[in-house]
Amino acid sequence: MVKIAVGTFDDSFSVASLKAYLSEFIATLLFVFAGVGSAIAYNELTKDAALDAPGLVAIAIAHAFALFVGVSVAANISGGHLNPAVTFGLAIGGNITLITGFLYWIAQLLGSIVACLLLNLVTAKSIPTHGLASGVNAFQGVVFEIIVTYALVYTVYATAADPKKGSLGTIAPIAIGFIVGANILAAGPFSGGSMNPARSFGPAVVSGNFDYIWIYWVGPLIGGGLAGLVYGDIFIGSYAPAPATETYP
């Protein structure tokens, strides 16, 4: 059964929670600044030429590295979500309450918006937004985003949220960064490979371009929710409690 918990305002506005929101804001800002910045840098270096294979690889690597660092620096404070779809997927498995999760969303979205405002200020360049490639319709775009976000949140559960992860948890930020980079290589030429409503929302707000923005909310939230249901509820939820006389790492 789904383990969604509403939570209380006292818990969601505790000192620890406020620190977590600030951590999510800062880490998301750093991630989006590097990710969107890599796209701006590519456009600048190639004089706005169409994205080619080396450019796609460079942008995928930039996102992978930036997310690896972002998750690492926030993990001990907020869990290092940096993504409303990750927060939603973890809420499905009972790892965060709805009230706290909603406030995580606000922090993540604000971090993305501020990152894009800073990029616009320091580069004086337009902010690139996610969009569908020619020949890709809205349904296909949503399906792409569902699949790649499912892979991301499933990886988050397996390496970070699973109580049996053991020493595997030490490589969680690397694994999460790698799956994002790989998914951008796979989905980038088609749907943009967002996997993250905050990553898409900040550029949309600053650029004023909200074309198809709903795709980058619907797809990732469905994908993240499914991953939370499958791994968090079916797999973790089926673990038998340890007997009182035994200890587990």
Side-chain angles (χ1 to χ4, degrees):
M1 177 179 288
V2 175
K3 303 174 183 177
I4 294 176
V6 175
T8 66
F9 283 99
D10 287 342
D11 288 340
S12 296
F13 286 94
S14 66
V15 172
S17 293
L18 294 176
K19 289 180 179 179
Y21 308 144
L22 179 59
S23 176
E24 285 292 303
F25 169 82
I26 293 172
T28 306
L29 187 158
L30 297 177
F31 166 63
V32 174
F33 189 91
V36 177
S38 69
I40 295 174
Y42 172 80
N43 289 338
E44 178 68 12
L45 292 171
T46 58
K47 303 304 178 185
D48 297 318
L51 184 65
D52 57 10
L56 177 63
V57 172
I59 291 172
I61 291 174
H63 279 79
F65 283 177
L67 188 59
F68 162 47
V69 173
V71 172
S72 297
V73 300
N76 293 333
I77 304 170
S78 66
H81 298 191
L82 285 69
N83 182 341
V86 170
T87 300
F88 181 65
L90 290 172
I92 292 294
N95 291 277
I96 188 171
T97 66
L98 291 182
I99 296 176
T100 299
F102 178 73
L103 294 171
Y104 266 49
W105 279 23
I106 293 175
Q108 293 156 359
L109 295 175
L110 288 176
S112 179
I113 292 170
V114 172
C116 292
L117 287 172
L118 289 172
L119 282 168
N120 184 250
L121 174 66
V122 299
T123 67
K125 301 293 182 180
S126 60
I127 303 299
T129 59
H130 280 125
L132 302 178
S134 176
V136 177
N137 61 38
F139 174 76
Q140 292 170 320
V142 169
V143 173
F144 257 113
E145 291 298 318
I146 289 173
I147 295 171
V148 293
T149 310
Y150 179 93
L152 166 59
V153 178
Y154 194 91
T155 301
V156 170
Y157 262 100
T159 62
D162 192 326
K164 293 186 177 181
K165 64 182 181 297
S167 61
L168 184 64
T170 60
I171 69 163
I174 299 175
I176 293 166
F178 277 7
I179 191 61
V180 165
N183 282 342
I184 290 175
L185 292 175
F190 303 99
S191 70
S194 171
M195 297 165 273
N196 186 337
R199 168 62 181 83
S200 299
F201 187 74
V205 169
V206 175
S207 68
N209 179 9
F210 291 91
D211 293 345
Y212 294 114
I213 187 63
W214 64 272
I215 290 174
Y216 304 106
W217 279 94
V218 173
L221 290 181
I222 292 176
L226 286 174
L229 181 63
V230 172
Y231 203 109
D233 191 56
I234 296 177
F235 293 155
I236 295 178
S238 67
Y239 291 167
T245 57
E246 296 185 32
T247 59
Y248 291 80

